């Protein structure tokens, strides 16, 4: 199992978020897909705002939040991260970054692990090559921050409560994960 997916599954176990035992797979319900899409779009919006502001630490936080939410969907399906080929035009334009992220987020509306994996993989690649950051360190910092929060899951069908529960809190300062 992918190392970052293991951390997300650990988070789900600690906070009572339902997920099948690995490698048992399940399909996400339509409402789960809609909920996951809402979370991804919120994270995407925050990432785009950070890009607009030019704040590298917040861009990194947005990319890690997107990756974490993509992995959460994979964990809730009981799948593993699928190795996908991801590419973006390294033309120095922030529009190419915005386009690739928007496309990957949109593709996740299928509810399929391959699309969540592609979003995770592009976030990791952009963190390493676009903003020159230590993605593993940043992911670990966000995960540690999440594990220190205290919430428990509610009803599996109470989507407003689940949205609130699965919305990631503001990321800690990830400046230490940026390379000089």
């Amino acid at each position: 199992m992918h190392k970052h997916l293991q951390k997300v599954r650990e988070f789900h176990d600690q906070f009572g978020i339902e997920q099948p035992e690995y490698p048992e797979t399940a399909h996400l319900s339509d409402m789960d897909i809609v909920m996951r899409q809402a979370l991804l779009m919120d994270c995407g919006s925050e990432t785009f705002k950070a890009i607009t502001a030019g704040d590298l630490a917040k861009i990194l936080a947005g990319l890690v939040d997107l990756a974490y939410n993509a992995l959460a969907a994979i964990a809730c399906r009981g799948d593993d991260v699928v190795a996908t080929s991801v590419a973006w035009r390294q033309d120095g334009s922030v529009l190419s970054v915005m386009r690739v992220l928007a496309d990957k987020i949109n593709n996740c509306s299928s509810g399929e692990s391959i699309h969540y994996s592609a979003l995770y993989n592009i976030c990791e690649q952009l963190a390493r090559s676009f903003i020159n950051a230590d993605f593993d360190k940043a992911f670990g910092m966000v995960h540690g921050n999440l594990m220190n929060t205290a919430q428990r899951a509610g009803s599996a069908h109470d989507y407003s409560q689940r949205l609130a529960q699965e919305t990631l809190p503001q990321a800690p300062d990830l400046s230490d994960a940026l390379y000089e």
Side-chain angles (χ1 to χ4, degrees):
M1 182 184 303
H2 191 276
K3 65 182 178 183
H4 291 152
L5 181 60
Q6 287 176 323
K7 290 183 181 213
V8 172
R9 289 185 64 83
E10 175 187 323
F11 168 76
H12 285 181
D13 287 340
Q14 180 170 334
F15 293 101
I17 299 170
E18 291 183 31
Q19 61 186 356
E21 290 298 319
Y22 178 78
E24 295 175 21
T25 59
H27 290 290
L28 296 176
S29 71
D30 289 353
M31 289 306 292
D32 283 336
I33 293 169
V34 171
M35 182 191 72
R36 298 259 165 232
Q37 197 67 12
L39 292 169
L40 291 173
M41 291 174 77
D42 285 346
C43 292
S45 176
E46 291 303 314
T47 306
F48 296 150
K49 289 174 187 172
I51 290 171
T52 301
D55 187 330
L56 292 180
K58 286 185 179 179
I59 296 169
L60 178 58
L63 292 172
V64 172
D65 286 352
L66 276 168
Y68 210 98
N69 275 294
L71 291 176
I74 294 169
C76 287
R77 286 181 49 91
D79 282 340
D80 201 352
V81 176
V82 178
T84 59
S85 172
V86 292
W88 61 284
R89 277 183 49 203
Q90 296 184 11
D91 59 3
S93 167
V94 294
L95 286 178
S96 64
V97 173
M98 188 260 327
R99 283 185 191 112
V100 74
L101 283 175
D103 288 345
K104 298 298 182 200
I105 291 168
N106 184 52
N107 290 343
C108 289
S109 65
S110 71
E112 297 297 323
S113 293
I114 192 157
H115 293 122
Y116 292 116
S117 295
L119 176 59
Y120 166 80
N121 289 329
I122 197 67
C123 288
E124 181 179 26
Q125 182 184 17
L126 289 171
R128 294 177 196 269
S129 58
F130 176 63
I131 60 173
N132 193 29
D134 185 340
F135 183 80
D136 292 331
K137 183 175 182 179
F139 195 94
M141 292 168 70
V142 167
H143 177 70
N145 186 53
L146 288 171
M147 294 301 281
N148 290 329
T149 61
Q151 293 181 7
R152 294 301 293 172
S155 164
H157 299 291
D158 183 351
Y159 285 98
S160 61
Q161 187 175 14
R162 286 184 61 200
L163 269 170
Q165 172 195 2
E166 296 193 34
T167 298
L168 300 179
Q170 185 168 354
D173 183 8
L174 300 180
S175 298
D176 288 345
L178 296 170
Y179 295 119
E180 295 296 323

